Amino acid sequence: MQVETVYIRLIWRSTVMRCSTLLVFLLWAAVPSYGQGYDIAVSLEEAEHLALTRNRDLRFAQRNIEVAAAETLNAAASPNPTLSFSTSHFDPKTRPTTIFKSTPAEDVIHLDKIFERGNKRELRMARADSEFTATRLDFDDALRQIRFNVRSAWFDLKQTERHTELSSIIAQQSERILDLARRRYRAGDLSGADLGRFEADSAKAKADEQAIQGRLARARVTLAILLADESRAQQIVTRGDWPAEKAILPDTATITTAIDQRPDTLAAIARVEAARHNLALAQAKRTRDVTVSLEFERQPRDVTQPRNALGLGFSVPLFLGNYFEGDIRRAHAELALAEDQLEAIRARIQAEIGQLSSELQRTGDRWQALQEQALPAARRTASAAEIAFSKGAISALEFLDAQRILRAAELDALQARSDLAKARAALDAALETASSAIQEPKS
């Protein structure tokens, strides 16, 4: 009886262990994998948001703003006074504990303070504020460029993903057509040379399918770098469709506003103002600063009468060897350089908008022609050629030509759709004005 009880217990434990193992396995299989096989789907809006919050270049630009804000504090500071103390007329042989007690000594306390003239402090503050404004606008311009780079990278990845799907479909179709050609060859309806053409076409389709994988990996890495998520680059996939097709060109008022209000234009204007303040500051160096000195002197004591003295003085520099001609000429040259850069930026923006508008018009027309004419015609031709070839009505070369035309039309349409999206994004970025209000630095 005891043996039977033990045997039943062993069977029960074994059954429980098997059920527990099966339950754990089922739970593990039900949980999605977060390894290399798990895709991270990112929409265009999500990609822009992630880039604007995590991109490293934007963090670098933010650090530049902090540096410029610190410079405004330095510019507002006035020269510190200088305090000095000296003593003399004491006997070095005297013990250190009694030097200032028993030895007659002469002590001097000297205080110097520089008083700037010629509005130097105000000019420094104005120059620092202008440079701070330019740095803030540089950050806005970095936002504009990062936003466009993310859109372009997302479109490239979207195009490459679709290209990968098309390559897989083409490879499967080529394999199916090759099977059909082999059946016709065995039936005596197809020559060996024509069969070799089908085999070569199928091999090329498989090679193209493998080659596109490298482009897909590179496109993922490009987008991952912008999103600061390089460790999971090969898991990133796009989510959502292409943006709405907009081939609307900007009018003259929009172009003028973009030329005048784009962040790089406003930053160049702020740097011109900073150069003007720097020129005024260089010229203000010719206004002499005054150094006021206050001195207290304690004379050695004698038994009858201690003698102390209080003195006041001032000093000014003598411009005998340097009248700051070099500083002023350099400031003039820097101002001229800043003005030339502003003019160049405005001209470049105008040319850029004109070029991008023409490119958007061309890509829109090309996409419309491919989508409405070339691609439907190629599909109809390929479908009719496949039916005709299966019945032996056309040759292998005619059938392969129809398939190649369809592949080329599909890839051209895909490229045109991507080009249209990138052209629209590039023009939108070129027309984008300053995105945030400029705030004065806190002192």
Side-chain angles (χ1 to χ4, degrees), residues 96-107:
T97 57
T98 60
I99 288 179
F100 299 102
K101 295 181 180 180
S102 60
T103 303
E106 178 181 333
D107 301 328

Side-chain angles (χ1 to χ4, degrees), residues 17-181:
M17 291 180 63
R18 289 177 182 177
C19 293
S20 300
T21 304
L22 180 60
L23 179 61
V24 171
F25 175 77
L26 292 175
L27 290 174
W28 174 83
V31 176
S33 174
Y34 288 89
Q36 293 295 328
Y38 181 73
D39 291 336
I40 303 174
V42 181
S43 66
L44 180 59
E45 294 75 12
E46 291 170 347
E48 291 182 12
H49 175 72
L50 289 174
L52 297 183
T53 55
R54 298 168 56 181
N55 185 268
R56 294 184 178 86
D57 291 336
L58 292 181
R59 280 191 286 176
F60 298 157
Q62 185 65 41
R63 296 291 181 260
N64 291 333
I65 294 178
E66 297 173 2
V67 172
E71 288 299 323
T72 60
L73 299 179
N74 292 333
S78 59
N80 291 321
T82 302
L83 178 65
S84 59
F85 171 79
S86 62
T87 184
S88 60
H89 296 165
F90 65 89
D91 188 1
K93 297 181 181 180
T94 308
R95 288 182 301 175
T97 57
T98 60
I99 288 179
F100 299 102
K101 295 181 180 180
S102 60
T103 303
E106 178 181 333
D107 301 328
V108 178
I109 300 176
H110 200 83
L111 180 65
D112 294 329
K113 171 63 178 175
I114 299 177
F115 292 91
E116 293 181 309
R117 299 173 63 242
N119 294 327
K120 293 185 179 67
R121 180 173 178 270
E122 290 76 9
L123 291 172
R124 283 199 310 271
M125 294 172 61
R127 181 184 63 183
D129 289 342
S130 297
E131 291 175 350
F132 175 81
T133 300
T135 307
R136 286 291 304 272
L137 288 163
D138 287 341
F139 180 80
D140 287 348
D141 193 57
L143 285 174
R144 180 183 68 86
Q145 295 177 10
I146 290 297
R147 188 178 293 111
F148 165 69
N149 292 337
V150 170
R151 291 175 182 174
S152 181
W154 193 90
F155 295 147
D156 284 337
L157 180 55
K158 187 74 174 178
Q159 175 192 354
T160 310
E161 289 173 348
R162 180 56 182 161
H163 194 172
T164 304
E165 295 174 1
L166 289 176
S167 298
S168 177
I169 295 173
I170 291 171
Q172 294 174 5
Q173 290 177 346
S174 298
E175 187 66 24
R176 181 173 55 83
I177 293 170
L178 178 59
D179 291 339
L180 177 61

